[in-house]
Amino acid sequence: MDNQFIGEHLLPGQIGQLFVVVSFVASLFSCFSYFNAARSEKDLANSRTWTIFGRVGFGLHAASVMGIFGALYYVIANHLFEYHYAWEHSSFAMPGKYLLSCFWEGQQGSFMLWSFWHCVLGLIVMRTSGKLETRVMAIIALVEVCIASMLLGIYFSNAVKVGVTPFDLLRHAMQNAPIFSQPNYMNFIKDGNGLNVLLQNYWMVIHPPILFLGFATTLIPFAYVVAALWKGEYEEFSRPALMWGLFNGAVLGTGIMMGGAWAYESLNFGGYWAWDPVENASLVPWLTLMAAIHTLLEYRSTGRALPATLLLFLLTHLLVWYSTFLTRTGVLGNTSVHAFTGDGTAMFYHLLSVIGILLVPAAALWIWRSRSMPKIKSEEALLSREFWMFVGAVVLFISATHITIMTSIPVWSPLAKWMTGKDVSLIDPMSHYNNVEVWIAVLIGVLAGSSLFLKYRDTDAKTIAKQLAWPALVALGVTVLIAVFQKIEKGQYVLMLFSAVYAMTASVFHVVGPQKMKFSKAGASIAHLGFGMVLLGILLSSYNKRVLSNNTSGMVLPFNKKTEEENIKESMENIILYKGRPDTMGEYLVTYTGDSTENGKDLRVYYLVNFERSDAKSNTKEHFTLYPDAFINPKGMQGLSANPSTKHYWDRDIFTFINAVQNNKDADTATFRSQTVSNQGDTVFLEDGFMLFNGFSKVAKNDPRFHIDDSDLGVTASLAVFDHTGSFVKDVNPVYLLKNRKSVENVEDTVGGMSLHVKFNLKVLSGDKAEAQVMFKESRDNLSYIVLKVLVFPFINVLWAGVIMMVFGFFVSIGNRLKLKA
Amino acid sequence: MKKTHIILLVLVVVGISAIASTFVDFSTYETFASAAAKPGKKFQVYGFVQKDLEMKYDPTQDPNHFFFYAKDKAGNVKEVVLNDAKPRDIEKSEWIVMTGYEQNGVFYCSRVNMKCPSKYKKEMVTAGKG
């Protein structure tokens, strides 16, 4: 019944599918062999043979995964749209630099990327794990079996299928479409669907590989922990688990914040963090990982906290799978701005089974072994590092639990509905998470600073009090300064400010004092300093985030002391800018001057927005242009899809994005009409409304619309504008300037909403009497405009610098420990 | 009981009660009728954009004013005002969640969450035409 189709390239897909099958079978073989090798450890010769089988199997698996990548790359790069994946995620118009982004836009590509990193890490572990190789690699191979099965694409029936292959044909994926009954259907498929415009951003090229390396690395400590539990041997695992854990912390942390940077640079929800489920799902494993690293350090120094350490490392990897489950199956539904679409029920049960396969044995092993785990009977001293480190781990764990419960609302709300009959949701997620997590930040900041100074086992109370006094005093002073100058007033946020600053000062004091500036040992202090900076950067940039396009300053972070009505009235965040007509925003005079397109393929339109700032006296102090851009009517969408543009300063960012545009080819044809007024109360009639003259006044010196020197004369006319219903709109203040007492300059004022422009000429009559010839035009219909949002993020660079510092600290730590072994 | 355990226990209890106390942040999806019963109070209303009725966004009048009609799950249609630009693709939404308050017969909202049809379905439509 198969028709013959013309113009298809089936070979790359067949080769690719072969690699898919081989990668699955090879990982299964490797897992089986390593498992046998681990079981027969006593019988050296036998175990050796199985180990070699396991290595060959894993090598073959890794090679096949590269093969899948190669084949899919060929399909996408050559625009073979007979393949569903290429058709869905790429198009001719897509710039070549985003070729890689196509891989991870789709479900299968993400699994391939994940699998790729597991292979790379697995090959490293194979060579470095020594005696533990068989057990560790058996676990890694098992997880690879799970991921490889995701790509299989075996259909038992329409309802039951295992995995989705990236080499599925378009005519296969859409069997019901009539076009595929024609053998020459390829002639009709001219172009692919294209890459989601939101992903056409350089961050999307580098962020997913780093994030997935972070996710993938959680497998390695997990495998080492299972290896330890397997035979009840708790010595060898701890060093490699720590090293991989530190590496993991650095990479996953970088990946998460790169995701934030992507959101900041290319999404228009106006920030780097929105407590979005997808963000939360990547943050939670990092939190449990941090807890795990710290309890592991405690275990290595004192022998305590072994059960917690093992549990936390197991949990970290399982949470990565859970986050995959949340973000890839569509259970989150509407609660996420990240547009992953669910691949139906098959994926749902597939991921659920994988979690079961990993969770059940891991949990059973841990419970079974927990009685026989070595424990220390005595009690920790109150002033010992291990005690407070453990407290810190508990706080991190509580935070992870909170975020997980709240993010999982869509998962458990059906149960709640069944019990109570009501739908459950968070009414205001941002402020909910902020209000809870601020307390976690306060505790962790103080612990991160103080615990550095504590010694294992016991610390002399007087010494520690003396050591902590200075950093605490300095932090207090800095906190007061920042709180005053940045106007941070809310109690818990002042506490968070202190806690962040204290973590920083304590870290610096620790390096200078007890560590005597020894760089190689400063890993922990550097990482804690970075963490303090991250907290500080988050606080400063969000607490005082301002909406410039609103011309009012104030907190936008929802702290919720006001009624909803007040909130809504204050958050008029969009402003309309007519082409060539300046408007003031804060200290800037902002003009939309035009738009431009990149020639050729790129479909985005760049809007030129000029910002100009002048000082009180005369000259322009600063001038820059931002280019927020938008795809107008991108494929399958109405309206526009916008990308922000940001001006970076050392101490703040000015962030703009477009919300609507109107592009009229016609020139501004409206002409000025004029009418003379002289007495207060004189009326000027408009097309839809009127203006009342309120008299003249002296010119304000620091108006951004113009410059005035001492030799200039200037007069402001004050007019109140009313609309056709007779209600007051706003005051306009056009200015009449006599430059050097010679040349005249008429400075306009505008009413954006009525597109009214007003200027005037001054006529001095006898004595001190004067009259104004008011010139005005209303030109609503034929002007191009953009609707713009402009936000200011103060001190956001502290956040980015903090992330870099923290990651640097992790690597210093790893470097130091590598040296210790040698 | 060890004193360290007591401190940990206190921490856990405080943590759990803090989280539990935030359950007041929860809301359930309401209807326009229950929002109208308490004007000015913040509600989340689940509903559907009325695509055949008027929908208005004119930035030249007010760039922070998007007007449309929505029907809640009880079947009542109401005028809704969002104080922001018109959300992209709202015409295509399957359903929406409006967060805001009721006043003088109008539902004013600060946020609208939309459920859009999955990409896959959309492709089926285009492919069918081709």
Side-chain angles (χ1 to χ4, degrees), chain A residues 60-109:
Chain A
L60 190 60
H61 166 73
S64 309
V65 170
M66 311 293 161
I68 304 173
F69 252 99
L72 189 60
Y73 188 85
Y74 181 86
V75 164
I76 296 176
N78 287 298
H79 302 291
L80 303 182
F81 296 131
E82 54 268 46
Y83 292 96
H84 184 222
Y85 206 86
W87 178 82
E88 185 174 13
H89 301 297
S90 75
S91 66
F92 281 116
M94 184 187 69
K97 56 190 168 182
Y98 300 127
L99 206 60
L100 278 175
S101 310
C102 295
F103 273 92
W104 29 89
E105 190 193 32
Q107 194 108 258
Q108 300 96 307

Side-chain angles (χ1 to χ4, degrees), chain B residues 95-115:
Chain B
W95 46 265
I96 57 174
V97 175
M98 297 156 277
T99 309
Y101 68 97
E102 148 96 28
Q103 202 179 49
N104 301 330
V106 180
F107 192 74
Y108 292 91
C109 48
S110 53
R111 201 177 49 174
V112 168
N113 286 352
M114 307 185 288
K115 167 68 183 173

Side-chain angles (χ1 to χ4, degrees), chain A residues 152-165 168 172-173 175:
Chain A
L152 272 180
I154 294 177
Y155 291 67
F156 293 103
S157 71
N158 267 342
V160 184
K161 55 178 181 178
V162 176
V164 180
T165 170
D168 205 6
H172 226 210
Q175 283 169 355

Side-chain angles (χ1 to χ4, degrees), chain A residues 13 26 159 222 233 259 320 330 341-342 368 419 455 472 528 560 642 646 654 679:
Chain A
F222 175 85
E233 295 167 357
V320 168
T341 48
W368 176 52
M419 290 194 310
K455 292 190 174 62
H528 284 198
N560 262 337
T646 307
I654 294 182
N679 297 319

